[in-house]
Amino acid sequence: MLRIGLFLLTNLAVLVLVGIIFNIFGIGGILQANGVDLNLGALLLLCALFGFGGSFISLFLSKTIARMSTRTQVITEPRSADEQWLVETVRELSRKAGIGMPDVGIFPMPQANAFATGWNRNNALVSVSAGLLQRFGREEARAVIGHEIGHVANGDMVTLALIQGVVNTFVMFFARLVGFFVDRVILRNEQGLGIGYYITSIVMDIVFGFFAMMVVAWFSRRREYRADHAGATLAGPNAMIAALETLKVESERGHEQPLPGNMKAFGIFGNMGALMATHPPLTDRILALQNFRK
């Protein structure tokens, strides 16, 4: 309920901010003075419908998309000691975290990686790479699994879907508002929607979308610290720190292989570039856990 409450307050704050901007810059008056009959409320509602619709469709299809894009094989009956250990570990940590038993899978990547996804905390998928099972000790692998279960228990998939829905809405809204402005005010088109509207809207979708990705990435980085904390709580802080240190060595040796773009935000590894990074630097994450351990 707290997550939903914060979401509603965020939307209210954004709506208030949009109203203030319109009033300060006189956007409504400028448009009306130039003969533009634009219903801003209806436009915002339409953008919200598409923005949240796309986000939640992606959320509900996330398990299917994840399995296909990573070639994850869901374990129905364990066929090896590693698979048996993996299923039992996920069951143990899920019970400890208070969530339903997720589907458990393995995907064919030689590098160490893992991800969690799903539309709710009792119907998720936790998948690890074959490389993680081969290259990590059991305690380190258990900590990585605890990290992923932390994502599920914290409701991170839903939270990011809500955030993505908000930014989608306002990217579409402002892109089309700029398109209307260019088409009617600058190009003086009076015959419906002209080419200026369509070209400008597409360009602004890309420009605003780039900045929106920074916002989503920032939230993702905050969420990653919480998942590390959950992994430390479930599997032990020493094991979680050891797992991150091993991942750091893997990255420094050039063994990192990122997940497909649509799965990066839910993996243990992420793009380490600054503003667009979905994960904080591993050094910062290790330091945060060392402070948590104290």
Side-chain angles (χ1 to χ4, degrees), residues 72 82 127 195 200 240 257:
T72 288
D82 280 344
S127 186
I195 190 66
T200 303
M240 192 70 240
Q257 179 173 328

Side-chain angles (χ1 to χ4, degrees), residues 222-246:
R222 299 303 96 195
R223 165 199 60 87
E224 206 59 31
Y225 287 114
R226 292 186 62 211
D228 285 343
H229 187 284
T233 301
L234 292 171
N238 290 337
M240 192 70 240
I241 290 171
L244 292 179
E245 287 175 340
T246 302

Side-chain angles (χ1 to χ4, degrees), residues 90-165:
V90 171
R91 179 178 291 110
E92 174 206 347
L93 296 180
S94 298
R95 186 181 301 114
K96 193 174 180 180
I99 65 171
M101 176 65 180
D103 291 338
V104 183
I106 300 175
F107 56 99
M109 179 186 288
Q111 291 76 13
N113 216 323
F115 68 85
T117 191
W119 70 273
N120 74 51
R121 64 204 307 270
N122 294 315
N123 187 23
L125 167 67
V126 173
S127 186
V128 304
S129 69
L132 184 137
L133 293 177
Q134 295 165 2
R135 301 162 76 94
F136 274 41
R138 287 291 170 88
E139 287 304 309
E140 293 176 353
R142 186 171 180 270
V144 171
I145 295 167
H147 170 99
E148 299 306 332
I149 289 174
H151 280 310
V152 177
N154 291 335
D156 287 336
M157 287 74 76
V158 175
T159 299
L160 282 182
L162 293 173
I163 294 168
Q164 189 68 62

